[in-house]
Amino acid sequence: MGDTSEDIMAATYCALCEHGYADLTMQRIADESGKSKAALHYHYDTKEELLNAFLEHLLDQFESRLACEAADPDERLATFLDAVFEPATDDSGEFPVALLEIKAQAPYHDAYRERLTAMDDRMRAIVADAVADGVERGEFDDCDPDEVARFVVTLINGAHAREVALGEPPAESRRRVEAYLDRTLGRREVSA
């Protein structure tokens, strides 16, 4: 599908931001893409199938934002927090709402739940690996990397809900996650 797939994913993003999950239709996605509704149905039988592909696309994009080859565990955690808390450059602010609407559909759509679970698992793995490396290198206090990762990802999911429902700025949530990591890992500001 190549460029067509990218075009459909971009149109889905725009339509989801503009209309939200409840009012999202294949026609609205087609209107955003400049393609016919029949062309969308050629690639995706249903809106749910298209949204499942969209979630997979988001997971791939998120993975690329998380890519950090640094050996330094602190740098890897910082890259992770940047990817989570800094909005994409083209984010209109509507996407977090649309994503929360999709998350709310996960109990009713196994495919959505599977994609969201994969995203959650990947986030936890990145945090746990960085924490384990930091503990092993003696840079972090001894702790259970899996428990730290589970708590951090739970905080991030809660932060997303707080951003959407309460208007809490992502920077405030990031500050709290970093404070938790500082306390739990024994990280301290290093003076130059």
Side-chain angles (χ1 to χ4, degrees):
M1 260 194 311
D3 289 339
T4 300
S5 177
E6 286 299 314
D7 291 345
I8 292 171
M9 294 301 110
T12 302
Y13 178 90
C14 292
L16 197 53
C17 289
E18 184 176 340
H19 303 289
Y21 179 85
D23 293 327
L24 184 68
T25 63
M26 292 293 272
Q27 185 60 57
R28 287 185 166 154
I29 296 168
D31 292 346
E32 285 290 336
S33 72
K35 299 181 183 339
S36 70
K37 186 175 166 184
L40 288 184
H41 280 292
Y42 175 78
H43 299 288
Y44 305 99
D45 289 333
T46 65
K47 177 177 89 167
E48 285 72 25
E49 186 180 310
L50 190 152
L51 284 174
N52 189 42
F54 179 69
L55 285 173
E56 187 67 33
H57 173 76
L58 283 182
L59 184 57
D60 291 344
Q61 281 189 324
F62 190 61
E63 288 268 353
S64 70
R65 288 183 69 197
L66 292 174
C68 180
E69 301 298 322
D72 179 44
D74 253 336
E75 188 176 335
R76 290 187 351 240
L77 287 173
T79 298
F80 171 79
L81 294 176
D82 287 347
V84 169
F85 288 110
E86 292 180 11
T89 54
D90 64 341
D91 194 356
S92 64
E94 296 300 318
F95 186 68
V97 174
L99 184 57
L100 190 60
E101 289 179 306
I102 291 173
K103 286 179 178 182
Q105 295 303 309
Y108 313 106
H109 296 280
D110 289 340
Y112 295 178
R113 183 177 23 249
E114 288 170 15
R115 294 299 180 267
L116 293 168
T117 298
M119 192 175 296
D120 192 81
D121 290 346
R122 182 64 183 129
M123 290 169 58
R124 288 195 343 240
I126 289 168
V127 174
D129 288 347
V131 170
D133 287 350
V135 169
E136 184 178 311
R137 293 167 58 161
E139 295 175 15
F140 299 157
D141 290 348
D142 189 35
C143 60
D144 181 337
D146 292 325
E147 285 300 312
V148 171
R150 180 174 292 280
F151 193 77
V152 166
V153 173
T154 298
L155 286 172
I156 288 166
N157 284 318
H160 178 222
R162 291 183 67 80
E163 176 187 358
V164 171
L166 306 175
E168 184 170 284
E172 178 61 24
S173 295
R174 180 179 181 151
R175 184 188 64 74
R176 290 171 191 218
V177 170
E178 287 176 336
Y180 166 77
L181 288 170
D182 290 345
R183 283 189 312 275
T184 304
L185 303 179
R187 300 186 320 172
R188 289 162 191 79
E189 196 71 30
V190 179
S191 8

